Amino acid sequence: MGRALLANNASTTLSAAISSTGATTFSVTSAASFPAVTTASGNYFYCTLIDSAAVPEIVKVTDISGSTATCTRAQDGTAARTFLNGATVSLRLVAAVLAELGGATINTSLSGATTIYVTQVTGYTITDFDSFSTYSVAVSAGSVTRTLDAISFTAPATAGEVTLTVTTNGVARTIPLTVLAASVVPPSITSPADAATGVPGPDITLTSSVFGWLGTSDTHLNSDWQLATDAGFTAIVQSTSADAASKTSWNTTVATGTTYYVRVRHRGTANGVGAYSATVTFSTAAAFSAYITVPTATPAAFGDAFGGGFYTGKIWNELVQSASSTVIGTGSKAFVVADMTATPLVYAGQTLEVRSRANPANKMIGVVTGALGTALTINVTSVGGSGTFADWSIMAQYRIVVAPKATGENTGLTYKNTADAAPAACGTLSEGRKATLAMVAAGTSTVYPAAHWCNNLSIAGNTDWYFPSRDEMELCWRNLKPTGDANYVIADRPTAATPNYMNLGSYGDTSAAHGVDNNSSPVGAAHTSVNPAQVAAGKNFRTGETEAFAYGSAYYWTASDYSAANAWYHDMRQANAGYQASPSKTTVCYVRAVRRSII
């Protein structure tokens, strides 16, 4: 069994530098004064390497051949370091030798970080703690405490080098610590991904990681963003500085077919500005989809003020048609539509239904993923029916907004001045807007009083008011019912209508029961005596309140044709509450205008 060897005044210098990693041999100017050790003998000695930094490393030399020593690095509680040519190499009496010779246990082993930040509290553990030994701790700056094997060091407020000294049974071990200045953590770009291609635009949101700090506690004050067309950021095309509104996300614009570079840095209230993030590069698509602005949120309750009037409910209307021959199925589907470049129709992520006009039950439901020129791309997630069709109506949901009563209700208008045919577009249960425009185009206000009156309204800056269809008027009753009286359920609504209401992607009249509304969202169920109930209190739509429908003796026209001589109206008389019937078009009735807002 080998043993530790000693020699008096054994000292030399390195003849070549050694690194802190990987090096297990070193060369010296002369090894003559050191004990002769070989791997075969098993003997060894401890050497201390030290340079002008005065931070030593103890190594265990197990073999000397000429002027080259083979060793085990970082012994006796020291850390491996890089030493330059000329560093001192000496054989000293070290704690490990004394321990091996049976002396007191004086080597103290610790675990913990050696690089910390100002004012940071850092813990260290005495991994070879001995309850029969005597310990003390001290630091050259900051403060330190010990409880059994746990040492707690509070770094000073000033950056620099600090020495932690742990004394065990009267023998001290020093540990060099580096205290860094407080700082803001450099963020990272989280979107878009680095090297992403085909990134859509022109509007884009760039995002970063959350704010972080080192040392002194801090809060996120603002951020600096830069978008350039070169990696050196000499060609910055968009930037924002000290932007408190764009701390971790920045909305900006990009051009087609361009490679960009983006970086961001965060600024703290206490620690100032941090370093820039790593640069992320991305390339935009050759052409961008044309999108409408994402709509505002739908109100929480029926009767809430919205869009110049009051929120009444939702309905499916045809947005655009496509003749693309497409098999029903899930996944990405592309449809050729009217060119959207100058007139956008949709927004990314919008939910649409694509229905066969011959039978809307054959349909696909999904979200918009692209709208480029005449190509509308939808990621279909659910389907109804099966087969291949080319008569598609692409349907969007709309919020129905009922006009204020004072300016958007008329107490005495006819549907038409003669009891004869209306335009074909009036053969609808859900497309009041299209029916209104068709009547306005087909005749004067003398011929189509109700349609012209609605179309001519300008309320709260909105000029797109129209004559509501039967299903849109049913939403008004269902969700803004003015009374608590029972609904009329004695007899069904008429069933001899001339038009085929299954058109423009809308469902036909599949039930004669009052209240069945296949085109609303959600689908309207048949009325019962108690359902729908009276509108919620506080919405100003109950009988006698400012916005309430004229319940008691009034009929309200709808734009939906029933036959050449008749059209649908909504009965709000007490005896027939909620009844839908089809009087002569020359009957004088109430009219309440609506408008719609896409979802």
Side-chain angles (χ1 to χ4, degrees):
M1 179 178 177
R3 60 188 180 89
L5 304 181
L6 297 172
N8 293 326
N9 304 317
S11 180
T12 186
T13 58
L14 290 177
S15 61
I18 62 172
S19 69
S20 62
T21 58
T24 57
T25 63
F26 59 90
S27 298
V28 296
T29 305
S30 172
S33 61
F34 291 87
V37 293
T38 64
T39 303
S41 70
N43 293 332
Y44 54 91
F45 62 86
Y46 289 93
C47 264
T48 300
L49 282 69
I50 194 166
D51 57 14
S52 59
V55 179
E57 177 187 351
I58 298 172
V59 300
K60 182 179 182 180
V61 178
T62 56
D63 188 274
I64 290 185
S65 177
S67 60
T68 300
T70 301
C71 68
T72 302
R73 304 289 299 274
Q75 296 296 291
D76 212 8
T78 62
R81 297 184 63 246
T82 295
F83 292 89
L84 300 179
N85 183 7
T88 300
V89 182
S90 59
L91 193 159
R92 302 180 182 182
L93 182 62
V94 296
V97 172
L98 293 177
E100 291 173 15
L101 294 175
T105 303
I106 58 175
N107 181 44
T108 304
S109 297
L110 298 180
S111 66
T114 57
T115 300
I116 53 182
Y117 291 87
V118 292
T119 72
Q120 184 178 0
V121 177
T122 304
Y124 299 89
T125 301
I126 304 173
T127 57
D128 58 353
F129 180 76
D130 174 8
S131 60
F132 296 98
S133 294
T134 301
Y135 296 88
S136 64
V137 292
V139 286
S140 60
S143 61
V144 66
T145 60
R146 181 188 66 84
T147 303
L148 298 176
D149 62 344
I151 297 172
S152 179
F153 169 54
T154 301
T158 303
E161 299 297 320
V162 173
T163 300
L164 168 64
T165 303
V166 181
T167 302
T168 306
N169 296 330
V171 178
R173 178 191 173 188
T174 59
I175 299 97
L177 305 177
T178 299
V179 178
L180 302 178
S183 63
V184 171
V185 175
S188 59
I189 299 293
T190 55
S191 179
D194 192 28
T197 58
V199 174
D203 298 319
I204 187 172
T205 299
L206 308 173
T207 62
S208 80
S209 56
V210 298
F211 179 76
W213 49 268
L214 298 168
T216 304
S217 178
D218 207 354
T219 57
H220 198 171
L221 180 62
N222 53 50
S223 295
D224 301 336
W225 293 84
Q226 293 182 340
L227 184 68
T229 52
D230 71 307
F233 287 85
T234 60
I236 296 175
V237 293
Q238 302 277 358
S239 66
T240 184
S241 298
D243 192 338
S246 304
K247 292 179 180 178
T248 57
S249 66
W250 179 38
N251 298 320
T252 187
T253 57
V254 290
T256 56
T258 305
T259 297
Y260 288 101
Y261 300 82
V262 61
R263 64 184 183 181
V264 61
R265 61 185 182 184
H266 293 167
R267 185 174 285 100
T269 304
N271 296 332
V273 67
Y276 272 109
S277 65
T279 299
V280 163
T281 182
F282 63 94
S283 298
T284 54
F288 292 152
S289 294
Y291 290 129
I292 62 172
T293 302
V294 176
T296 57
T298 299
F302 302 119
D304 283 351
F306 181 73
F310 304 93
Y311 174 53
T312 307
K314 295 182 287 187
I315 199 162
W316 289 96
N317 279 175
E318 183 186 68
L319 181 65
V320 68
Q321 294 185 359
S322 175
S324 298
S325 180
T326 306
V327 60
I328 289 177
T330 57
S332 183
K333 302 285 184 178
F335 299 89
V336 176
V337 299
D339 196 325
M340 297 173 285
T341 304
T343 309
L345 296 173
V346 297
Y347 61 90
Q350 181 180 5
T351 298
L352 300 177
E353 286 198 11
V354 185
R355 302 175 184 170
S356 167
R357 286 188 295 282
N359 180 2
N362 292 314
K363 63 182 179 180
M364 294 177 279
I365 305 168
V367 297
V368 173
T369 56
L372 183 60
T374 60
L376 175 60
T377 307
I378 300 172
N379 182 38
V380 176
T381 55
S382 61
V383 301
S386 62
T388 301
F389 301 92
D391 64 335
W392 300 111
S393 282
I394 298 173
M395 312 293 291
Q397 291 185 87
Y398 290 83
R399 293 165 288 207
I400 302 302
V401 179
V402 67
K405 186 172 184 175
T407 50
E409 181 170 286
N410 194 304
T411 61
L413 292 172
T414 62
Y415 182 101
K416 192 177 181 184
N417 66 339
T418 55
D420 53 22
C426 297
T428 178
L429 297 178
S430 57
E431 295 276 1
R433 178 68 177 161
K434 289 186 174 71
T436 301
L437 295 177
M439 285 187 272
V440 168
T444 67
S445 59
T446 300
V447 180
Y448 293 104
H452 275 275
W453 183 81
C454 292
N455 188 66
N456 289 336
L457 289 174
S458 178
I459 303 173
N462 299 299
T463 58
D464 55 351
W465 300 96
Y466 62 88
F467 191 7
S469 66
R470 192 195 77 181
D471 284 357
E472 290 168 319
M473 197 65 203
E474 193 281 325
L475 279 176
C476 293
W477 179 259
R478 187 197 312 174
N479 297 324
L480 300 177
K481 181 184 172 185
T483 179
D485 291 349
N487 300 295
Y488 179 85
V489 293
I490 297 172
D492 290 340
R493 56 194 174 199
T495 58
T498 302
N500 175 9
Y501 295 123
M502 188 186 292
N503 57 53
L504 303 182
S506 295
Y507 293 99
D509 215 354
T510 57
S511 172
H514 295 287
V516 173
D517 185 347
N518 296 309
N519 298 304
S520 64
S521 177
V523 171
H527 291 171
T528 67
S529 62
V530 296
N531 195 14
Q534 186 179 27
V535 64
K539 300 303 177 183
N540 217 23
F541 273 89
R542 290 188 169 186
T543 299
E545 295 179 336
T546 306
E547 300 299 334
F549 285 88
Y551 178 71
S553 60
Y555 307 85
Y556 280 82
W557 272 125
T558 81
S560 298
D561 212 355
Y562 181 81
S563 64
N566 304 87
W568 288 99
Y569 73 178
H570 204 101
D571 195 335
M572 292 199 187
R573 297 175 301 164
Q574 187 173 15
N576 297 316
Y579 181 81
Q580 291 175 320
S582 52
S584 169
K585 294 174 181 176
T586 60
T587 305
V588 175
C589 297
Y590 279 66
V591 174
R592 186 76 168 261
V594 300
R595 60 185 299 267
R596 65 184 186 177
S597 168
I598 200 165
I599 299 176

